[in-house]
Amino acid sequence: MLKIVTIVGARPQFVKAAVLSRVIGDHDDVEEILIHTGQHYDHNMSEVFFDEMEIPKPGYNLDVNGMSHGAMTGQMLEKIEGVLQEEQPDWVVVYGDTNSTIAGALAAKKMHIRVAHVEAGLRSFNMLMPEEVNRILTDRISDILFAPTQTAVDNLKREGYDNIDAEIVLSGDVMQDASHYYAQNSEEKAKLPSEKRSGEFVLCTLHRAENTDNSERLASIVSALNTLNKKIRVVMPIHPRTQKLLEKNNLELTVDLVDPVGYFDMIELLKNCRLVLTDSGGLQKEAYFFEKHCVTMRDETEWVELVKNGYNILTGANEDAILEAAGRMMQQSSDFSSKLYGDSQAGEKILNSLRNIHHK
Ligand code: UD1
């Protein structure tokens, strides 16, 4: 029996972990135990994904949230260590770049339990982002690095990973597997009223600390969105972080605000929108999976191939740049048949690698 402990905590990790959990479910000789750190805890930031994507119930919920980075990561580290002592898995699998990712990887590594990092090798080259710190440190202590793209493999090689005792596997992107699988019945399963997800609209999300915690950047983005909304409806599922910081800075968004949506609703919004405007990492790719252009309100992106191929434009938080790029991208047409993120078999490839190394 191969025993895997999966560590998740934030919304994008539920989406990514759903893919591997489904593949594991097809194998009787693999056992998976999920640890939910509790980083995201609102029903519509967490439970809705477990329900809709049929992710197995977490074996452990650590309920660590709403505190500073140090306190959060420290508490997670301590609690994860306790669970790993109990479970003694063959592998710990971590996803992406959040505080839950680094806490899980570090707890496991110190106990000499093998660590697999899914979505390895991504770089924004901006060390002021908490995500960049988390992903670099997690990569360095992982035993197997599942890279979603060739760019990610190249980043690792440039950092000298050929001389580090870790295996690099170009797996393709698990988020593409998820998009394809769940898009099959998203229309029947969507809960958002159909008038919200039909007609002409731009889909927008905003939550990155570099935008929300900087009041000037936040004010500039809010102004751009309010102006754009006068021309075309801007539908915006609002992240709790952003909600709190808008209130703190007395800023008002006059766009079509909705509560954070589940995965099926997000797919329907992606299928039907004219354009995606975001600072999320995942949504930039999901725009491409659903053949939509994207304007990214950041100064850099980890998904450089989208920019290189003209699917995505980076604008930072500059109001004029956002409005100009949105106008231009809505007029543009592109061929989306380039397979930038693999063949939607990432889940199978990842499980095969974990099994093969285990049996070596
Ligand atoms: C985290 C990740 C980021 C990821 C994002 C996806 C880190 C450093 N950042 O950012 O990489 O892109 O998740 O959403 O790990 N909150 C709620 N309800 C919730 C969840 C959060 O009210 O369900 C509140 C928290 O209490 C906190 C704020 O929102 O005040 C931000 O949450 P936090 O976990 O710090 O990070 P995110 O901004 O979500």
Side-chain angles (χ1 to χ4, degrees):
M1 188 66 126
L2 179 68
K3 188 166 177 179
I4 295 174
V5 163
T6 298
I7 296 174
V8 291
R11 184 168 57 176
Q13 292 166 332
F14 310 140
V15 173
K16 292 167 197 167
V19 172
L20 192 58
S21 289
R22 192 161 51 80
V23 177
I24 290 173
D26 295 336
H27 293 82
D28 292 340
D29 58 343
V30 186
E31 182 190 6
E32 181 184 40
I33 293 151
L34 269 163
I35 302 180
H36 187 331
T37 63
Q39 181 169 357
H40 286 177
Y41 50 91
D42 286 344
H43 175 86
N44 52 16
M45 294 290 288
S46 174
E47 210 177 316
V48 65
F49 293 88
F50 285 81
D51 293 347
E52 289 187 351
M53 304 183 85
E54 299 176 20
I55 305 169
K57 285 253 167 301
Y60 299 86
N61 196 322
L62 309 182
D63 197 21
V64 181
N65 51 56
M67 47 187 95
S68 71
H69 283 265
M72 189 195 281
T73 314
Q75 279 204 15
M76 287 175 185
L77 191 56
E78 185 178 358
K79 292 189 176 184
I80 292 168
E81 184 179 62
V83 175
L84 296 180
Q85 252 150 10
E86 184 91 2
E87 296 292 348
Q88 298 289 337
D90 300 298
W91 282 104
V92 164
V93 179
V94 296
Y95 290 89
D97 57 19
T98 72
N99 292 335
S100 302
T101 314
I102 180 64
L106 190 52
K109 191 65 181 177
K110 292 275 181 81
M111 296 174 71
H112 302 175
I113 297 168
R114 284 184 295 193
V115 180
H117 185 201
V118 179
E119 213 176 66
L122 296 188
R123 298 291 182 263
S124 67
F125 303 101
N126 176 359
M127 283 298 273
L128 296 175
M129 288 175 69
E131 292 86 352
E132 183 77 350
V133 178
N134 290 338
R135 57 171 88 95
I136 288 176
L137 297 179
T138 302
D139 280 345
R140 183 60 189 81
I141 57 175
S142 293
D143 298 275
I144 186 159
L145 297 153
F146 292 110
T149 58
Q150 186 57 46
T151 311
V153 173
D154 296 343
N155 286 338
L156 292 167
K157 300 224 164 182
R158 206 174 317 111
E159 289 174 20
Y161 273 77
D162 281 337
N163 302 316
I164 287 173
D165 189 16
E167 188 165 338
I168 299 172
V169 177
L170 177 58
S171 58
D173 193 320
V174 283
M175 284 188 69
Q176 180 166 279
D177 298 27
S179 285
H180 282 167
Y181 182 77
Y182 294 96
Q184 296 168 58
N185 49 9
S186 56
E187 205 177 337
E188 304 90 83
K189 299 275 181 83
K191 297 191 193 100
L192 206 58
S194 62
E195 65 272 15
K196 290 274 179 206
R197 50 191 162 89
S198 54
E200 286 278 288
F201 68 93
V202 168
L203 169 61
C204 176
T205 76
L206 179 75
H207 80 277
R208 290 273 170 194
E210 76 242 40
N211 285 330
T212 55
D213 293 6
N214 178 323
S215 53
E216 268 172 43
R217 285 181 75 105
L218 187 60
S220 170
I221 291 171
V222 165
S223 179
L225 297 180
N226 289 343
T227 303
L228 182 63
N229 188 60
K230 290 184 187 139
K231 293 200 194 104
I232 178 166
R233 191 164 58 96
V234 176
V235 178
M236 184 168 177
I238 188 118
H239 191 291
R241 164 192 282 285
T242 312
Q243 182 75 52
K244 284 180 193 169
L245 284 145
L246 287 172
E247 284 162 20
K248 191 174 151 208
N249 290 290
N250 279 322
L251 290 166
E252 195 192 352
L253 269 172
T254 51
V255 304
D256 192 357
L257 288 178
V258 294
D259 286 337
V261 294
Y263 195 58
F264 291 122
D265 280 330
M266 194 47 117
I267 290 179
E268 285 304 300
L269 287 167
L270 282 159
K271 279 185 187 167
N272 295 311
C273 69
R274 271 285 296 278
L275 176 78
V276 174
L277 193 55
T278 192
D279 64 358
S280 153
L283 211 64
Q284 294 173 51
K285 282 177 298 165
E286 287 170 329
Y288 168 79
F289 301 150
F290 292 98
E291 308 198 347
K292 299 297 153 84
H293 289 102
C294 184
V295 172
T296 300
M297 299 178 286
R298 287 177 51 192
D299 300 323
E300 67 285 303
T301 180
E302 301 76 31
W303 307 106
V304 286
E305 51 286 322
L306 293 173
V307 176
K308 263 190 221 145
N309 288 283
Y311 302 121
N312 190 353
I313 299 187
L314 296 175
T315 60
N318 182 285
E319 180 175 354
D320 293 339
I322 295 169
L323 291 170
E324 193 277 324
R328 186 146 49 96
M329 281 308 224
M330 279 194 277
Q331 300 310 321
Q332 191 150 315
S333 58
S334 293
D335 174 4
F336 286 88
S337 62
S338 52
K339 292 208 159 199
L340 297 178
Y341 296 100
D343 51 8
S344 299
Q345 298 291 316
E348 278 81 4
K349 282 188 189 151
I350 289 170
L351 186 61
N352 277 341
S353 297
L354 296 179
R355 286 160 72 95
N356 289 343
I357 296 185
H358 179 64
H359 292 121
K360 258 185 201 167

